[in-house]
Amino acid sequence: MNITVYSKPACVQCTATTRALDRQGIDYKIIDVSADADAYELVQGLGYRQVPVVIAGEQHWAGFRPDMISSLS
């Protein structure tokens, strides 16, 4: 499963999310929405107004969600 974390610099919840993914041994890709206009549009198109936004296969969510991260492993 491809996992993408849409993030921005100095985002506490983004850091918590990537650390939790690291602890679970889950591979992911980070995309900075402040530097990638297409990524920003994608996140907004999904209805999100905050980061991180995690897309994992068919599911996606915003914010630091340890429950959702645990379900990935």
Side-chain angles (χ1 to χ4, degrees), residues 1-42:
M1 173 186 328
N2 290 329
I3 298 171
T4 305
V5 178
Y6 293 89
S7 181
K8 68 178 183 177
C11 168
V12 174
Q13 289 190 38
C14 301
T15 302
T17 296
T18 56
R19 284 184 181 162
L21 289 166
D22 289 341
R23 279 194 301 274
Q24 295 283 335
I26 299 171
D27 291 328
Y28 58 91
K29 177 173 66 170
I30 298 176
I31 298 178
D32 182 350
V33 297
S34 68
D36 186 329
D38 291 335
Y40 181 76
E41 291 293 324
L42 173 71

